[in-house]
Amino acid sequence: MKARERPDRVVFINILEIPMKSNTSTVPVAAQAIQGIPLNRLVLAPENVRRTPADRTAHAELEASIRAHGLLENLVVRPEDSSGRKKFAVIAGGRRLAALNAIAAAGGFAKNRPVPCLVVDNGDAGELSLAENVVRVAMHPADQVVSFAKLMQEGATVATIAARFGISENTVEQRLRLGNAAPALLDAYRAGEMDLSALKAFAMTTDQERQRTVWRKITDEGSRPTEWNIRRMLTEERVSSASSVARFVGIDEYVAAGGPVMRDLFAEEGESGEWLEDPVLLNDLAMKKLKAEADRLATKWKWALPLLEASWSATSGYGRIEPRPGKPTAKEESELKRIGARLDELFGIPAEGWSDELQEETDRLDDRQSVIEEKIDRRASFREEDCAIGGCIVTIDRDGILKVIEGLVRAEDLPIQEDGKGGRKNGRHAGATDTLDAEDDAEIIPPSVSPRNSNTAAKAREEAGVGIGLADDLRAIRNGIVKSHLAGDFGAAFDLVLFQIARAVFDSSHYDGRDALDISFRETPDRPMTRMNDDCFAGWSPGEDILDDVSSLPLRWMEEEDDGARFAALRELPREKKEALFAAAVARTVRGQLSFEPNARPELEATVARLDIDFAKEVRPTAGLLWTRLRKDHLLAIAGETLGGKWARDRAKFRKTDLAAAMGKAFSDSGDGGSSAGLTAAQHEAAMAWTMPGFRAFPEGAGEVSAEAGACAEPVQGPEQDPGQESSELPGFLAEGA
């Protein structure tokens, strides 16, 4: 390039006047016209206020922009004589100068190429530099997002945009994905109603209608959107590609079957960022694979059941056949004897003679022993008579691999023998005799829980209209409230602990693995695991703040150095402080339950009734917590039971989203007696008395809830009653007799 050649695509910006400080008034700077000054005659002025260098990414972006578009903004300079050759000091535009020099050094253009500069002769150069850097307003990210999207519509590619603006292609893709956000969301972002992280969460999906629906839900609640909550709501009906069922089926097989995938470009490192949008199709594909394996195993066992998930509750109602133990080979048996003998020797060595070498040998022998024993265990086998009465469950383990649980026995197939005391006990297979060798006599372990309980948990949730996730939330919220009240009632806490301790000590045969308290005294969590970082949950669960405040508890004794001193200090506490501490500690061990759940502990429900908690005043249902998560028919049932049949009928044709919003408004304590929701005084009173599913205790002494006997029984209505005024809680959400 020749020295006098004019630059390509240089845009000159005319700055007509710059306000300057004067002793008397603000006067315009005496500015000359913008001049083209050779690059090699420009130096950075010492009064340039920008001292902190830009990071490499920002420098690369500016350099790429100049290469692609030319210099879009002139520099501001003042004359400076240097060794008889006139130079110009750059008082504003130091980053642009550095980028121009870098391009020239790389051969992008000649070092004496003219650069557009505004030359100033008077004024405080430092103040000019400050004004140029401070007064400027950067383009709002939302406007940049729209501009990138427009470039794509005009034919630009991700690669060309990345090159022209000096950013990575992944960054361009992320910003373009933000460009798919609904215009209303971009406007909310511009207005400061959400931050960039929330907008990124919305951009997980390109479905703008779904974005708007979630946005309406959040704004109806009157809460500020959080990234976690938005992602939860958007993925509520989707399945992560990292889930066990997705890995079992395989993404390729799912896509080949026509399954859509939503990809989150903003996923953090280590996150899958892929969400399968058709869980029904995914589950169908998984069940086909499981059923094929179950059909094969059904030729061996009496029955084979395919299940997507096989939790403890799904298997605890079955008896278990112990397989015939595997036998070691002669070589393995010999090696195990040698290992056992050597370990006995090592364990007999006194502590003062112990060394790191001996510890390494012990660890090595332990590991080898475990390997051999695992090989022997894998040789365990079932007998033909086992398969004749037992079955198996074919499911998916947590790693997405096929898992078979064999040797399960249904209640009706369990062999029963008289125990000689007028009772019955589980025994060997029908027809087994005492002449059989011990190793051929199969042991059958009885079910862990009543088969009725294991089979009715899901049914109880279904009849209550409550999904697993909602049940987890409601259980935790109810438990937080119960714990906070129990913490102030020594008598109730003492009776709970005494009951469980006495039962365990004096009637150990009664133990069935289910207790109201975690008697090992571990504090039970106040949130489901999926809610640990959810800012919204604190607003839903009022018991949290009460339990977090321990300022009134006598805990100074815990500051002593050792347990002996701590115990001595504890013994010195007055009785009333011990009682307060006892109740507070016991309260924090309570296990959460909802009263309609089949395994709800009656002693805890009786305690809840004793505490006389007004749950309706403790916590009010919101759209995010409850209304958007119930089926429409359940919403209408609640409305009819509480607000009256006419209120429900008038809104029967509402979309579920609109109906949930109306419910949220009607059941909120607005402080105006329900007038803002158009409710009568009676309707408002009924709404304020309504209690969320499973919160109200079932009566003391009622025993365990009977799902068959009335967990969902309809209330009896008199001929003159409006069904909307008869009850303050939805039928089916109350336990028997509540």
Side-chain angles (χ1 to χ4, degrees):
M1 177 183 292
K2 296 180 181 180
R4 297 180 62 85
E5 183 176 350
R6 292 183 59 81
D8 295 332
R9 294 189 298 173
V10 175
V11 178
F12 296 96
I13 301 177
N14 292 318
I15 302 178
L16 300 180
E17 60 180 29
I18 302 175
M20 287 293 298
K21 184 175 68 175
S22 170
N23 291 333
T24 58
S25 61
T26 300
V27 298
V29 172
Q32 301 175 9
I34 294 177
Q35 303 176 24
I37 299 175
L39 176 61
N40 57 8
R41 291 174 61 189
L42 299 174
V43 295
L44 186 64
E47 57 266 39
N48 190 298
V49 297
R50 189 185 289 273
R51 294 286 185 266
T52 305
D55 60 37
R56 292 182 179 180
T57 301
H59 179 81
E61 290 177 359
L62 179 59
E63 187 177 324
S65 177
I66 293 174
R67 287 179 181 274
H69 312 104
L71 188 64
L72 300 179
E73 186 176 354
N74 57 261
L75 311 183
V76 180
V77 303
R78 61 168 175 76
E80 180 178 81
D81 289 327
S82 177
S83 302
R85 187 181 182 194
K86 190 172 184 179
K87 292 207 171 194
F88 293 84
V90 178
I91 60 176
R95 287 184 58 228
R96 281 161 277 163
L97 176 62
L100 289 167
N101 282 326
I103 295 172
F109 46 69
K111 294 181 179 180
N112 60 352
R113 178 171 181 167
V115 177
C117 300
L118 174 67
V119 182
V120 296
D121 291 329
N122 66 334
D124 186 339
E127 185 171 342
L128 280 175
S129 177
L130 180 62
E132 203 269 352
N133 282 282
V134 172
V135 175
R136 68 174 61 209
V137 177
M139 173 183 265
H140 193 281
D143 298 327
Q144 186 185 45
V145 164
V146 174
S147 299
F148 272 40
K150 185 177 180 181
L151 286 175
M152 287 292 290
Q153 293 170 2
E154 293 173 352
T157 65
V158 170
T160 57
I161 293 176
R164 289 165 65 181
F165 291 94
I167 54 181
S168 69
E169 292 187 18
N170 185 58
T171 300
V172 175
E173 290 178 352
Q174 289 183 352
R175 295 179 186 176
L176 289 172
R177 174 61 69 88
L178 288 175
N180 290 327
L185 301 184
L186 289 174
D187 290 342
Y189 174 43
R190 289 188 181 97
E193 296 173 12
M194 73 171 77
D195 57 22
L196 182 59
S197 64
L199 186 64
K200 287 181 177 179
F202 275 115
M204 286 181 63
T205 176
T206 58
D207 185 344
Q208 294 190 356
E209 180 55 37
R210 184 167 181 80
Q211 293 173 359
R212 286 189 288 267
T213 298
V214 171
W215 176 241
R216 283 195 296 269
K217 289 180 182 178
I218 292 173
T219 53
D220 286 345
E221 292 177 29
S223 59
R224 186 172 179 84
T226 63
E227 179 182 2
W228 185 93
N229 202 32
I230 293 166
R231 290 179 184 274
R232 178 188 66 79
M233 295 172 74
L234 285 173
T235 59
E236 209 164 27
E237 299 173 3
R238 291 162 170 77
V239 180
S240 169
S241 63
S243 67
S244 58
V245 66
R247 284 183 287 173
F248 176 68
V249 172
I251 303 299
D252 292 341
E253 184 174 338
Y254 167 80
V255 172
V261 177
M262 180 177 71
R263 291 181 170 84
D264 180 8
L265 292 175
F266 302 101
E268 297 292 334
E269 185 176 355
E271 296 179 345
S272 66
E274 290 184 323
W275 297 86
L276 281 56
E277 299 195 80
D278 192 342
V280 174
L281 172 63
L282 179 66
N283 290 343
D284 285 346
L285 294 173
M287 283 301 295
K288 286 180 181 178
K289 295 180 68 172
L290 293 174
K291 188 176 185 305
E293 181 63 15
D295 290 344
R296 186 186 69 81
L297 290 170
T299 61
K300 171 185 176 183
W301 291 94
K302 182 177 182 179
W303 55 269
L305 177 66
L307 288 178
L308 288 175
E309 296 181 0
S311 62
W312 177 85
S313 60
T315 59
S316 56
Y318 295 101
R320 297 289 296 267
I321 302 174
E322 285 293 296
R324 179 188 302 157
K327 293 182 179 180
T329 64
K331 183 178 179 181
E332 288 169 340
E333 191 169 10
S334 176
E335 186 175 0
L336 286 174
K337 287 182 179 179
R338 288 198 306 271
I339 292 174
R342 178 53 181 161
L343 286 175
D344 288 342
E345 292 177 7
L346 292 170
F347 293 149
I349 297 175
E352 57 270 18
W354 198 253
S355 66
D356 291 342
E357 290 76 13
L358 292 176
Q359 183 62 53
E360 290 177 3
E361 182 184 2
T362 301
D363 293 341
R364 188 169 59 254
L365 291 172
D366 279 337
D367 290 342
R368 179 56 184 165
Q369 186 180 52
S370 296
V371 169
I372 297 173
E373 289 173 348
E374 287 176 5
K375 290 174 65 177
I376 296 171
D377 288 342
R378 286 197 294 269
R379 297 189 193 118
S381 60
F382 291 95
R383 311 154 187 79
E384 288 186 7
E385 55 267 32
D386 297 338
C387 298
I389 68 166
C392 63
I393 289 177
V394 184
T395 187
I396 306 167
D397 73 3
R398 65 181 61 186
D399 295 321
I401 300 172
L402 183 75
K403 178 181 180 181
V404 180
I405 306 172
E406 297 182 294
L408 303 178
V409 184
R410 290 169 172 162
E412 60 268 26
D413 294 328
L414 287 170
I416 302 297
Q417 290 183 337
E418 298 295 329
D419 62 5
K421 300 178 182 180
R424 303 199 302 173
K425 63 179 181 180
N426 290 301
R428 298 181 304 226
H429 299 303
T433 67
D434 292 333
T435 60
L436 293 173
D437 293 335
E439 67 180 63
D440 290 327
D441 192 3
E443 178 186 359
I444 300 180
I445 301 173
S448 301
V449 299
S450 164
R452 179 187 63 81
N453 285 342
S454 67
N455 294 332
T456 56
K459 181 180 178 182
R461 285 196 305 271
E462 172 65 22
E463 291 177 342
V466 175
I468 293 177
L470 177 56
D472 289 343
D473 289 349
L474 296 180
R475 190 182 305 110
I477 294 169
R478 182 191 195 241
N479 204 41
I481 296 171
V482 170
K483 289 160 75 172
S484 66
H485 282 258
L486 184 62
D489 193 320
F490 169 78
F494 182 80
D495 287 351
L496 262 180
V497 174
L498 183 60
F499 170 83
Q500 192 158 318
I501 292 175
R503 189 181 68 170
V505 172
F506 299 111
D507 189 14
S508 58
S509 63
H510 177 76
Y511 180 70
D512 59 5
R514 298 180 294 123
D515 288 308
L517 303 180
D518 190 337
I519 203 63
S520 62
F521 291 100
R522 290 187 298 270
E523 184 176 11
T524 51
D526 295 325
R527 294 185 174 196
M529 286 300 297
T530 56
R531 296 290 189 186
M532 287 304 176
N533 298 316
D534 183 4
D535 295 336
C536 293
F537 198 83
W540 294 343
S541 184
E544 275 195 6
D545 286 341
I546 299 173
L547 293 167
D548 287 343
D549 183 8
V550 296
S551 58
S552 63
L553 296 179
L555 299 175
R556 294 288 298 276
W557 57 273
M558 297 180 66
E559 298 175 4
E560 299 294 339
E561 293 184 359
D562 57 64
D563 282 344
R566 292 189 191 106
F567 184 61
L570 176 66
R571 291 177 60 190
E572 295 299 319
L573 292 176
R575 180 180 178 86
E576 64 272 12
K577 290 190 175 182
K578 287 183 181 179
E579 290 181 353
L581 184 61
F582 180 85
V586 169
R588 286 161 172 79
T589 71
V590 176
R591 290 174 173 169
Q593 65 184 39
L594 297 171
S595 61
F596 65 72
E597 294 180 306
N599 290 335
R601 296 300 306 165
E603 70 271 23
L604 181 56
E605 290 306 306
T607 302
V608 173
R610 173 179 179 175
L611 294 171
D612 194 23
I613 303 171
D614 188 345
F615 287 107
K617 288 185 177 179
E618 294 281 347
V619 58
R620 299 305 306 158
T622 64
L625 167 62
L626 184 70
W627 304 123
T628 59
R629 301 166 71 184
L630 294 177
R631 294 200 314 264
K632 183 177 177 180
D633 58 324
H634 280 280
L635 293 176
L636 291 172
I638 294 172
E641 287 290 327
T642 311
L643 305 177
K646 184 178 185 305
W647 195 98
R649 289 192 297 273
D650 289 346
R651 293 158 181 81
K653 294 185 179 180
F654 276 21
R655 294 187 309 170
K656 180 186 170 182
T657 302
D658 297 331
L659 179 59
M663 296 286 283
K665 190 173 183 179
F667 282 78
S668 66
D669 188 3
S670 58
D672 58 6
S675 60
S676 62
L679 301 181
T680 65
Q683 287 174 321
H684 178 66
E685 182 180 358
M688 292 301 97
W690 186 82
T691 304
M692 286 197 291
F695 275 40
R696 187 177 298 174
F698 61 74
E700 186 172 0
E704 294 195 16
V705 183
S706 172
E708 292 83 358
C712 299
E714 294 289 341
V716 179
Q717 299 177 3
E720 301 298 323
Q721 289 178 315
D722 183 336
Q725 305 302 322
E726 190 279 331
S727 171
S728 63
E729 186 162 354
L730 175 67
F733 283 4
L734 285 175
E736 179 182 10

